[in-house]
Amino acid sequence: MIRFVLLAAVAVLGLAGSAMAEPIAATPAEQVQLDALYQPEDWFVSHLKGPRETANGAILDARLQYVLETVTRPASAPAVQAYLRSSYATAQGRDAARTALDRYWALRTLETAAMQTVSDDMVTGRAGDGIAVRIYQPKSTEKRLPVLVYYHGGGFMFGSIEGWDRAMRLIANEGRVIVVSVAYRLAPEHPYPAAWNDAEDAYDWTLSHIRAFGGDARAVAVGGDSAGGTLAISVALRAAKAKKTGPSALLLYYPGVDREGVYPSMKTFGTGYGLDADALAYLAGLVYPAGSATTSADTSPMQADLCPMPQSLIVTAGFDPLSGSQLAFAARLKDKGCPVEVRTYGTLIHAFLQTTGYVPDAAAAATETARRFGEMVRHPAKGRTCK
C-alpha cells in the first residue's frame, strides 16, 4: 500500500523561517509525498476511511476526501491545534509556519507555461512601509494586456507571493492578463487595517505605473482568494467612496464577505473541511483589534453599500463553509443591479487553487474561471444600474 504523510500542520515547526528562493522546488522527501498524490482516482476511493461524502447532489473529490481524512482532520485535533497556536505566539514559530505552508501550497499547485517576463518591484505604502509586488506578463501578441491586481489568501496571517506563484502564472496564462501579485502585511504583527491599506496602496501604484509594464489602463481589475477576496472587494468599495478610478472587474475565489451572518454551509462544513469555524474565530482575534466593528465595509462587505460595484466573477466550492455567504453576497449584488456571475464547483473545497496540481477538477475550475475572467475584463458588462 502506498501511503503519504502530509501532516504539514505539525511539520511546519521543524522548518526554518528564512526567505524562499523562487521558484520553489520539491525536496526528495516532498517529492515522495507529491508522487503519492498522483495515484489513479480508484486508488483513493479504495483507501477512504468512510463512505463518499456528498452535498447538494455533488460528490466530494476522492483525492480531497482522502487528504481531509488522513491529513487535515488529524491536524485539527485539539492537542495539535493547541501546540500550533502556542508556537504562533513567537516570531520564530510564525516564520516557520509561513515558510512551510508556502511550500506545501505551492508544490501542490499546477505548473503552467513560462511567462514572457516576471519582475519584482516595491511599492511605498502610506506609512512608508515597503509592499513587495511581483508582476507576471504572459506571452501574448496583444499590444497591451488587461491587468489584475491580486491578493493571496491565508486568513490574513499566512500566504505570500512565493506560495501563490504558480497560481498567479496559471491565471496570467489562461486569462491572458498581466497579474500584479501583492505581498500585503500579515497579522498579528500588522493587524487591521494594515493589509487593507497595503491592498489599496498597491492598486493605486498599479494605476500610476501600468504603462511601464505593458498594461491597459482601461482594463485594471482586482481579485483574490479567501482573505484576499475580502481585500479586493475593499479596494473597490474604497475607490467608490473616494470617487477615484475603481477597478473594472473583480475576480473572487471563495471570498470572505460576511462577519455577521450565520449560514447553513458553516454548520455543515464548519468542521473537517479545511477551514474550521474555530480557526476562523482564532484568526479574527489576531487580525482585528479589540473593538473593531464586525459590520465594517472593509471587513464585512455584506453589510456595506454595494452600489455601485464593478462586474464580478465569484467562484465558490461545494464543500466550503463560506459558500452560503458567498452566494448570498452574489444575490445582493444582483439585487443592487451590479453585474455578477457565479460559478460553483461542487466537488471541491475552500482553497482549491492550491490543489490544482493533483486534483483534475480543481485544475479545470481554475483554468475555466481564469479564461472567463479574461473574457469579462475585455468585454465589460453594459447598461449597469444601481438600485
Side-chain angles (χ1 to χ4, degrees), residues 12-27:
V12 291
L13 299 180
L15 297 181
S18 57
M20 261 186 289
E22 190 275 323
I24 294 173
T27 65

Side-chain angles (χ1 to χ4, degrees), residues 22-27 30-31 34 38 102-113 115 134 136 160-174 179 181 353-358 366:
E22 190 275 323
I24 294 173
T27 65
E30 289 169 330
Q31 192 60 53
L34 295 171
Y38 302 134
D102 278 344
R103 294 188 65 83
Y104 185 91
W105 288 325
L107 291 173
R108 286 155 182 78
T109 305
L110 184 67
E111 291 188 87
T112 55
M115 295 285 98
R134 181 168 293 169
Y136 300 86
S160 72
I161 286 176
E162 287 79 13
W164 265 249
D165 181 75
R166 292 184 183 181
M168 297 303 93
R169 292 168 186 263
L170 186 154
I171 292 173
N173 272 326
E174 299 298 339
V179 176
S181 182
L353 286 179
Q354 280 64 58
T355 69
T356 52
Y358 68 97

Side-chain angles (χ1 to χ4, degrees), residues 234-290:
S234 171
V235 167
L237 290 173
R238 286 186 176 196
K241 184 176 181 180
K243 299 187 182 331
K244 63 184 183 182
T245 301
S248 61
L250 279 81
L251 174 60
L252 305 172
Y253 288 98
Y254 33 83
V257 296
D258 193 351
R259 294 186 62 210
E260 282 279 295
V262 178
Y263 299 88
S265 61
M266 181 60 73
K267 296 179 180 179
T268 303
F269 306 116
T271 301
Y273 290 90
L275 186 65
D276 289 358
D278 68 327
L280 289 172
Y282 167 76
L283 290 169
L286 299 176
V287 174
Y288 304 112

Side-chain angles (χ1 to χ4, degrees), residues 23 31 39 68 82 94 98 105 135 148 157 159 227 232 263 297 314 330 349:
Q31 192 60 53
Q39 304 305 308
L68 290 173
R94 290 191 296 273
R98 288 166 179 161
W105 288 325
I135 303 164
L148 171 65
M157 183 173 171
Y263 299 88
I314 301 177
I349 61 174

Side-chain angles (χ1 to χ4, degrees), residues 108-193:
R108 286 155 182 78
T109 305
L110 184 67
E111 291 188 87
T112 55
M115 295 285 98
Q116 180 69 39
T117 63
V118 178
S119 60
D120 291 328
D121 213 323
M122 189 68 67
V123 175
T124 301
R126 65 192 66 189
D129 300 297
I131 307 165
V133 295
R134 181 168 293 169
I135 303 164
Y136 300 86
Q137 185 166 6
K139 296 177 182 178
S140 175
T141 58
E142 293 181 67
K143 184 176 181 180
R144 291 195 174 273
L145 293 174
V147 175
L148 171 65
V149 184
Y150 195 92
Y151 312 104
H152 64 77
F156 302 107
M157 183 173 171
F158 302 104
S160 72
I161 286 176
E162 287 79 13
W164 265 249
D165 181 75
R166 292 184 183 181
M168 297 303 93
R169 292 168 186 263
L170 186 154
I171 292 173
N173 272 326
E174 299 298 339
R176 296 179 295 117
V177 298
I178 295 170
V179 176
V180 180
S181 182
V182 181
Y184 55 87
R185 287 171 292 171
L186 300 174
E189 299 92 331
H190 304 287
Y192 174 79

Side-chain angles (χ1 to χ4, degrees), residues 82-94 157 188 282 286:
Y83 170 64
L84 290 170
R85 291 174 187 181
S86 68
S87 75
Y88 299 157
T90 69
Q92 182 180 9
R94 290 191 296 273
M157 183 173 171
Y282 167 76
L286 299 176

